[in-house]
Amino acid sequence: MIREGDKVLLIDRRGKRYLVTVSNREFHTDLGIINLGELLNKSYGDTLTSHKGEEFKILKPDINDIIAKMKRGPQIVHPKDAGIIIAYAGISPGDTVIEAGVGSGALTIFLANIVGPAGKVISYEVREDFARIAQKNVELAGFSDRVTIKLKNIYEGIDEDYADHIVLDLPQPENVLPHAVEVLRPGGYFVAYTPCMNQVHRFFQALQEYRDHFYKPRVVEVLVREHEVKKECMRPKTTMLAHTGYITFLRKL
């Protein structure tokens, strides 16, 4: 049953999504006014009707819904990239992940969802305005219990003495290598997300000094192309989500 304060996703007949918090107030849409108090004691999968007679399907939001509706500051790490970071690094429930370059907090939310209440995500950010946006988005997702956002430059050092994984969205991830060697557990992953090829090349040049500490570096790029499926024809869509960044994986020995 839905309770006051719950986050609820409403979907109208056009497929438009609305992320709302259940309370005794009105919510205005172009398809009519909804009394959010009527959500109380309903179940997910039920419908809610506006004053114009328009029906809205009630669903429990997942993290993709929250990220789609959250406040944006800088460019986010897309789900296609977040997914492969989590999969290739083997990030699991209970892990401690150190992150840097928080931005709007999208990757932070994906990581927090995976590590669960028994895990921790410790996020470094140098810009106070970005840290504020990310903190609000983490609270919106309900992950304040497992995420700590620190206003600090990770290039200057890592406060923690242990991490299962380190995940960076920074212009110069090579500056973190000397700190990662001391903190990252054997078998853990160092992951660097960089948009430009010259950044990857510069990183690999710096990595030569630490090559005895890491196993088999791997660089990947993720491209996503959706397809249109119709009765008469199935074909790729004319647009696709192509290059967003290069993702480098190193495993600590």
Side-chain angles (χ1 to χ4, degrees):
M1 305 297 288
I2 296 170
R3 305 298 183 201
E4 186 168 2
D6 287 350
K7 297 286 187 300
V8 168
L9 189 72
L10 302 176
I11 302 179
D12 66 24
R13 56 178 166 80
R14 303 164 299 188
K16 186 175 180 179
R17 296 178 294 174
Y18 309 83
L19 183 64
V20 299
T21 301
V22 180
S23 62
N24 190 23
R25 65 182 179 89
E26 291 182 341
F27 181 73
H28 292 249
T29 77
D30 61 333
L31 297 182
I33 300 171
I34 301 168
N35 181 0
L36 295 182
E38 294 179 7
L39 287 165
L40 293 170
N41 298 319
K42 282 186 175 289
S43 299
Y44 295 111
D46 290 348
T47 57
L48 192 64
T49 306
S50 75
H51 84 288
K52 290 184 177 180
E54 294 281 353
E55 291 190 342
F56 294 75
K57 205 70 177 176
I58 305 167
L59 296 181
K60 185 177 179 65
D62 60 25
I63 58 169
N64 293 298
D65 299 314
I66 291 167
I67 289 170
K69 296 296 182 181
M70 74 183 192
K71 184 177 180 181
R72 301 288 182 92
Q75 179 65 37
I76 68 167
V77 173
H78 288 268
K80 70 181 182 72
D81 296 319
I84 208 161
I85 287 171
I86 290 165
Y88 279 18
I91 298 173
S92 305
D95 281 351
T96 295
V97 180
I98 292 176
E99 178 200 20
V102 178
S104 299
L107 181 56
T108 311
I109 291 170
F110 279 115
L111 293 171
N113 185 59
I114 291 296
V115 302
K120 291 189 294 185
V121 178
I122 303 159
S123 303
Y124 287 67
E125 175 57 59
V126 295
R127 288 188 52 167
E128 188 173 357
D129 53 342
F130 290 173
R132 282 197 302 266
I133 292 170
Q135 185 63 53
K136 289 179 180 178
N137 289 334
V138 166
E139 291 169 3
L140 176 67
F143 293 147
S144 298
D145 62 330
R146 67 200 73 168
V147 175
T148 301
I149 297 177
K150 309 174 78 166
L151 198 61
K152 183 176 178 179
N153 188 346
I154 199 171
Y155 293 162
E156 298 173 356
I158 297 174
D159 296 334
E160 293 69 32
D161 56 10
Y162 175 89
D164 291 296
H165 308 285
I166 296 174
V167 181
L168 309 176
D169 179 8
L170 299 171
Q172 295 176 293
E174 63 273 12
N175 291 348
V176 185
L177 282 170
H179 313 309
V181 166
E182 301 299 325
V183 171
L184 190 59
R185 69 163 171 84
Y189 279 85
F190 181 106
V191 183
Y193 175 90
T194 46
C196 300
M197 193 174 290
N198 62 302
Q199 292 172 300
V200 178
H201 186 255
R202 187 180 63 223
F203 178 83
F204 269 72
Q205 287 180 314
L207 180 61
Q208 295 309 305
E209 184 180 346
Y210 303 95
R211 62 183 181 274
D212 293 338
H213 296 279
F214 295 100
Y215 167 76
K216 208 172 183 178
R218 182 182 196 183
V219 182
V220 301
E221 177 188 21
V222 184
L223 311 177
V224 174
R225 183 171 67 179
E226 291 190 33
H227 289 71
E228 296 176 349
V229 181
K230 300 178 180 178
K231 184 177 180 180
E232 302 81 10
C233 175
M234 175 177 171
R235 61 184 297 278
K237 287 188 175 181
T238 53
T239 59
M240 66 179 289
L241 186 55
H243 175 79
T244 48
Y246 300 102
I247 309 170
T248 301
F249 296 87
L250 310 174
R251 195 172 193 189
K252 176 80 179 300
L253 290 172

